[in-house]
């Protein structure tokens, strides 16, 4: 089998790249380890930057997002019983779109089906070959048989635990990592959201986030120590702890109900450089992970895909240099999102090694946001997404 671009991983990065390339007349094949239902069952991101929403429209998958998604003009940062509102529209003229990653993925699968794109699920033992030649290929096993696909390029969209990044020799990679000493316990519930906009709360008991998917579906998170296990948290214990971390002025509005999903995610910052190795290009979580506090993971995956798509279209249009700058362009944006995610994480969480000095720093930063339009503008520009 032969294709122009072989895409490893059928998560949001791989599907969006495949969708954009197919529409531009460039042939792709997507190799995904899991079943489609498994990919669609993962509850993850909820906030789309302005530029991500635009790219989805450009890919022809914006209609349901525009009809059913919720544009948000701002968010709240709560601390010491105060609620600071950052008005995105007033501060930087942009909004974000609240529309779940599950829905984005479903829209992409539907669009890919409609155009007859090739997706192969249930692949095992994917191996990337001859990446430094202009004839790379991929081998894999499916249903007990070995297969081979030849291509011009390979896009590594297989997430943090995939094979693509590991196919770059260790001596040619530089990795940067920061592990945070806590995780987020997340609950999805069929209850109306706390507020119309997201509330990020800094509280002496730990961070809390009140988010949502739509008018009847809420997503909440609380900071927990890494030693905690999901089984140890009953729904009641979760709601009690969440309520305790919200400002009194809004805690009374919290509507609770049975959890539909409950999971703990560790927080980590990670970047692997470069994002290109010969004919292999990494996109999304395969190359970098951010803590979820800035809502940047899915959005960085989208901007990587946007840069790679542009490069591939220019390459096939005859520009031999077009792909040379992919890694540098993508990494410049990745590091800025990394900085924002790290700074919001640091501002909003309780760290075991923080003392009164660090708490004063957090209060000063939150107070700066409350009192300075310039500080709110910088937050809003980063939150709604830097241009790409
Ligand atoms: P994914 O989604 O991990 O998809 C990779 C796909 O590759 C497959 N795969 C393989 N396929 C073939 N062969 C192999 N050897 C393979 N190894 C892996 C996997 O099965 C999978 O289907 O990476 P991708 O596409 O780069 O997308 C990244 C995003 O999923 C991720 O950044 C976001 O979910 C992060 N994230 C958030 N991002 C935001 O922008 N806004 C948010 O509000 C937000 N909230 C979150 C989040 C992530 C969370 N968790 C649990 C990680 C909240 C949470 C709780
Ligand atoms: C979510 O709704 O899952 C969500 C929203 C904002 C974040 C992280 C997660 O910063």
């Amino acid at each position: 089998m032969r294709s122009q671009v072989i895409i490893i991983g059928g998560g949001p990065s791989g599907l969006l790249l495949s969708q954009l390339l197919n529409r531009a007349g460039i042939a792709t094949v997507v190799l995904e380890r899991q079943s489609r239902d498994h990919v669609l069952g993962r509850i993850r991101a909820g906030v789309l930057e302005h530029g991500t929403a635009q790219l989805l429209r450009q890919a022809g998958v914006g209609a349901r997002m525009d009809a059913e998604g919720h544009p948000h003009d701002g968010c709240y940062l709560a601390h010491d019983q105060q609620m600071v509102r950052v008005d995105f529209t007033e501060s930087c003229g942009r909004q974000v779109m609240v529309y779940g990653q599950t829905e984005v993925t479903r829209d992409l699968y539907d669009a890919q089906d409609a155009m007859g794109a090739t997706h192969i699920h249930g692949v095992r033992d994917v191996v990337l070959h001859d990446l430094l030649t202009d004839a790379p290929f991929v081998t894999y096993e499916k249903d007990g048989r070995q297969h081979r696909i030849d291509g011009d390029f390979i896009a590594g969209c297989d997430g943090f635990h995939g094979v693509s990044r590991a196919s770059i020799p260790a001596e040619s990679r530089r990795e940067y990592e920061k592990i945070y000493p806590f995780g987020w316990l997340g609950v999805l519930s069929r209850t109306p959201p706390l507020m119309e906009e997201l509330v990020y709360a800094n509280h002496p008991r730990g961070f809390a986030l009140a988010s949502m998917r739509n008018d009847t579906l809420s997503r909440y998170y609380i900071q927990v120590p890494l030693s905690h296990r999901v089984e140890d948290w009953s729904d009641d214990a979760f709601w009690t702890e969440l309520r305790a971390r919200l400002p009194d002025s809004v805690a009374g509005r919290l509507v609770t109900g049975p959890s539909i999903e409950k999971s703990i995610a560790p927080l980590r910052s990670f970047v692997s450089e470069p994002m290109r190795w010969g004919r292999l290009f990494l996109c999304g979580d395969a190359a970098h992970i951010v803590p979820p506090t800035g809502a940047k993971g899915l959005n960085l995956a989208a901007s990587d895909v946007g840069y790679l798509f542009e490069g591939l279209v220019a390459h096939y249009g005859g520009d031999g240099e077009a792909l040379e700058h992919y890694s540098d362009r993508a990494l410049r944006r990745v590091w800025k999102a990394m900085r924002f995610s790290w700074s919001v994480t640091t501002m909003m969480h309780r760290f075991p090694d923080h003392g009164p000095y660090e708490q004063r720093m957090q209060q000063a930063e939150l107070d700066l946001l409350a009192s300075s339009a310039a500080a709110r503008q910088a937050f809003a520009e980063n939150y709604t997404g830097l241009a790409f």
Side-chain angles (χ1 to χ4, degrees):
M1 186 177 179
R2 209 199 126 71
S3 194
Q4 286 172 296
V5 182
I6 305 167
I7 300 175
I8 318 292
S13 317
L15 294 173
L16 179 56
L17 181 64
S18 177
Q19 174 70 10
L20 288 162
L21 289 174
N22 276 285
R23 280 167 65 93
I26 298 170
T28 64
V29 53
V30 176
L31 297 178
E32 166 59 50
R33 190 173 53 176
Q34 307 286 358
S35 68
R36 180 182 291 212
D37 284 347
H38 180 100
V39 174
L40 286 170
R42 293 192 288 231
I43 311 290
R44 289 184 168 182
V47 176
L48 306 181
E49 291 176 357
H50 170 85
T52 304
Q54 285 288 80
L55 191 62
L56 292 170
R57 292 183 191 110
Q58 186 188 335
V61 290
R64 198 163 70 94
M65 170 187 76
D66 283 326
E68 296 176 18
H70 294 254
H72 279 206
D73 280 328
C75 74
Y76 293 95
L77 299 168
H79 71 113
D80 297 327
Q81 301 299 343
Q82 291 172 53
M83 300 265 283
V84 179
R85 180 165 184 270
V86 180
D87 187 318
F88 304 145
T89 317
E90 181 188 282
S91 300
C92 71
R94 292 186 191 283
Q95 298 173 312
V96 292
M97 179 70 85
V98 171
Y99 190 62
Q101 177 167 332
T102 322
E103 307 310 314
V104 172
T105 311
R106 185 179 299 281
D107 294 344
L108 282 164
Y109 270 130
D110 288 350
Q112 290 272 278
D113 285 349
M115 63 169 63
T118 309
H119 293 187
I120 304 172
H121 283 267
V123 299
R124 291 278 170 269
D125 296 331
V126 171
V127 183
L128 283 49
H129 304 266
D130 291 1
L131 296 172
L132 295 181
T133 73
D134 56 9
F137 65 98
V138 173
T139 54
Y140 64 94
E141 195 227 284
K142 183 172 158 75
D143 301 332
R145 291 183 46 207
Q146 267 306 108
H147 301 265
R148 168 176 170 151
I149 307 181
D150 292 87
D152 299 333
F153 298 101
I154 300 174
C157 300
D158 47 354
F160 184 66
H161 300 288
V163 291
S164 298
R165 184 179 68 255
S167 306
I168 304 177
E171 62 276 14
S172 301
R173 256 188 284 144
R174 177 118 195 238
E175 296 187 346
Y176 302 81
E177 186 169 52
K178 181 172 177 63
I179 310 266
Y180 297 87
F182 40 73
W184 278 17
L185 168 63
V187 159
L188 186 71
S189 63
R190 211 164 289 292
T191 51
L194 179 76
M195 303 276 287
E196 275 156 29
E197 294 174 344
L198 275 69
V199 180
Y200 292 83
N202 172 319
H203 190 275
R205 299 178 67 92
F207 169 79
L209 168 59
S211 181
M212 65 207 70
R213 292 292 175 272
N214 57 47
D215 295 341
T216 57
L217 201 55
S218 297
R219 181 71 165 156
Y220 295 101
Y221 299 93
I222 55 171
Q223 172 188 351
V224 292
L226 284 172
S227 57
H228 283 206
R229 293 177 324 161
V230 174
E231 307 80 73
D232 303 332
W233 279 91
S234 66
D235 287 358
D236 278 351
F238 178 86
W239 294 121
T240 304
E241 188 59 37
L242 174 67
R243 197 179 284 112
R245 296 183 187 191
L246 296 170
D248 294 344
S249 57
V250 297
R253 305 164 60 132
L254 181 67
V255 181
T256 64
S259 62
I260 307 173
E261 196 265 358
K262 199 191 283 170
S263 53
I264 293 184
L267 267 67
R268 173 201 303 267
S269 298
F270 172 86
V271 184
S272 180
E273 296 183 345
M275 286 172 60
R276 173 198 182 170
W277 174 251
R279 291 265 167 155
L280 168 67
F281 295 83
L282 301 181
C283 291
D285 281 16
H288 40 72
I289 298 282
V290 282
T293 327
K296 290 285 163 253
L298 175 60
N299 292 299
L300 276 184
S303 56
D304 291 349
V305 166
Y307 290 135
L308 183 56
F309 168 63
E310 258 177 50
L312 287 167
V313 167
H315 171 89
Y316 284 112
D319 177 355
E321 298 288 294
L323 287 163
E324 293 303 315
H325 306 293
Y326 168 72
S327 181
D328 289 345
R329 281 182 86 192
L331 282 167
R332 283 227 299 276
R333 191 169 191 281
V334 165
W335 277 111
K336 280 176 274 199
M338 209 50 67
R339 186 207 68 81
F340 180 68
S341 307
W342 160 82
S343 80
V344 184
T345 303
T346 307
M347 177 171 76
M348 299 305 290
H349 289 75
R350 291 288 135 157
F351 288 68
D353 61 342
H354 276 188
Y357 175 83
E358 285 83 4
Q359 272 163 36
R360 281 283 191 253
M361 286 292 111
Q362 290 188 343
Q363 283 167 348
E365 266 195 72
L366 285 156
D367 195 31
L368 185 68
L369 280 163
S371 57
S372 158
R376 285 195 297 278
Q377 183 182 0
F379 183 96
E381 275 182 359
N382 280 279
Y383 193 90
T384 59
L386 301 174
F388 65 88

